[in-house]
Amino acid sequence: MIGLSAECQPSSVSAARRLLAEVSRVVVLTGAGVSEESGVPTFRGPGGLWRQFRPEDLATPEAFGRDPRLVWEWYNWRREKIAAVEPNPAHRALAELEARLKAGATAPVRPLTLVTQNVDDLHERAGSRSVLHLHGEIWRLRCTGCGREDYDRRVPLDPLPPVCACGSLLRPAVVWFGEALAPDTWDAAVGAAQACELVLVVGTSALVYPAASLPAIALQAGARLIEVNRDPTPLTPRADVSLQGKAGDLLPQLL
Ligand code: OAD
């Protein structure tokens, strides 16, 4: 691994740039840290959502069963926050990386797959196209009765909790604790991780599984690993290059 300390950063940035220049198939895994500079709160650490709220009260099927209005109030609040913010330089750099790899692609394979744990749409708004939302999307609503799923950007949603035309409650189409990821999305993420030459992990504490296993799957298949994070994570010792700092500062330097 290439050093972590502040004085090593310039050489680490060059090392990461060199690695990126050598590859044509990349998987990017992002977490809440990539949206932090846009003003979306992270989950863990200072100011994190799980410091103020208990996930078992707001982000489980049981919580929704007990008090759907409370859960919806929280998601309404988060929808309002996400609607009010803009993509930051980290989102834009990742969109640019995808465009660059696509422009240079010689084989008919997808050169970059962006796998995000974030439920916001800031990657798409920055221009990323190949995005897999492992934990769902906050703008999608799913009926708990008929299963119909719709995109709905109304802010605020009123009345709460919202109800489907079939009469059943609608829920946010996100993955709650204790629920499985959408199999198609997960399979696509694993396939991309197994086929990539480099995995770039940005702004995730790498604590929540199965998302956190993707870098290990890529490493197992022979990929290199670059990590960009404000703080060290369990992945840091396995990274070929670890860049410690803000994603919005560091990612533009990688291009
Ligand atoms: P976390 O809040 O666990 O971690 C955010 C990470 O980003 C931490 O490692 C921070 O050090 C880092 N970070 C914060 N600001 C940063 C910045 N400006 N630049 C770079 N790094 C920064 O968020 P996730 O790892 O995304 O799941 O959490 C994973 C899952 O846990 C979420 O998707 C959510 C949550 O419970 C569900 O709700 C299912």
Side-chain angles (χ1 to χ4, degrees):
M1 191 193 75
I2 289 166
L4 261 181
S5 64
E7 61 274 19
C8 286
Q9 292 269 318
S11 64
S12 299
V13 168
S14 339
R17 286 172 69 112
R18 277 198 301 278
L19 275 184
L20 266 175
E22 283 167 10
V23 297
S24 51
R25 265 170 306 149
V26 174
V27 164
V28 181
L29 174 66
T30 65
V34 83
S35 295
E36 185 263 348
E37 289 160 75
S38 293
V40 182
T42 61
F43 292 93
R44 298 166 185 82
L49 292 172
W50 298 150
R51 293 276 175 103
Q52 307 166 56
F53 306 104
R54 285 161 24 109
E56 54 273 38
D57 292 340
L58 298 168
T60 63
E62 294 76 23
F64 189 72
R66 265 195 314 271
D67 195 343
R69 189 184 162 84
L70 174 76
V71 170
W72 263 117
E73 275 169 3
W74 192 61
Y75 277 93
N76 228 10
W77 171 74
R78 289 180 62 199
R79 286 164 64 101
E80 278 173 27
K81 263 191 159 358
I82 290 166
V85 302
E86 297 294 333
N88 67 57
H91 297 107
R92 287 196 285 274
L94 292 173
E96 193 184 324
L97 178 63
E98 180 180 348
R100 251 191 221 192
L101 285 166
K102 271 188 183 158
T106 47
V109 289
R110 184 176 286 182
L112 184 141
T113 303
L114 198 162
V115 184
T116 187
Q117 297 162 86
N118 299 344
V119 296
D120 66 50
D121 60 345
L122 294 175
H123 284 305
E124 287 90 342
R125 280 158 60 192
S128 285
R129 291 291 163 258
S130 301
V131 185
L132 296 174
H133 282 273
L134 281 187
H135 293 164
E137 293 175 73
I138 204 158
W139 300 121
R140 300 194 74 86
L141 309 189
R142 187 165 69 244
C143 178
T144 54
C146 67
R148 180 186 161 139
E149 208 170 295
D150 275 318
Y151 190 80
D152 187 337
R153 276 193 73 102
R154 279 175 300 158
V155 170
L157 276 173
D158 186 35
L160 292 185
V163 173
C164 179
C166 80
S168 303
L169 280 184
L170 290 165
R171 58 164 283 177
V174 300
V175 179
W176 283 326
F177 289 98
E179 293 185 319
L181 307 191
D184 290 356
T185 310
W186 176 244
D187 290 348
V190 170
Q194 284 168 335
C196 76
E197 296 163 291
L198 183 132
V199 58
L200 172 60
V201 183
V202 187
T204 175
S205 56
L207 292 171
V208 174
Y209 283 80
S213 61
L214 282 176
I217 291 170
L219 287 173
Q220 185 91 36
R224 315 298 290 273
L225 168 60
I226 301 175
E227 184 184 51
V228 176
N229 200 302
R230 203 186 51 191
D231 304 303
T233 75
L235 272 182
T236 307
R238 305 190 67 183
D240 292 284
V241 180
S242 170
L243 300 174
Q244 197 169 337
K246 289 187 163 197
D249 292 336
L250 289 166
L251 287 182
Q253 293 180 48
L254 292 192
L255 296 177

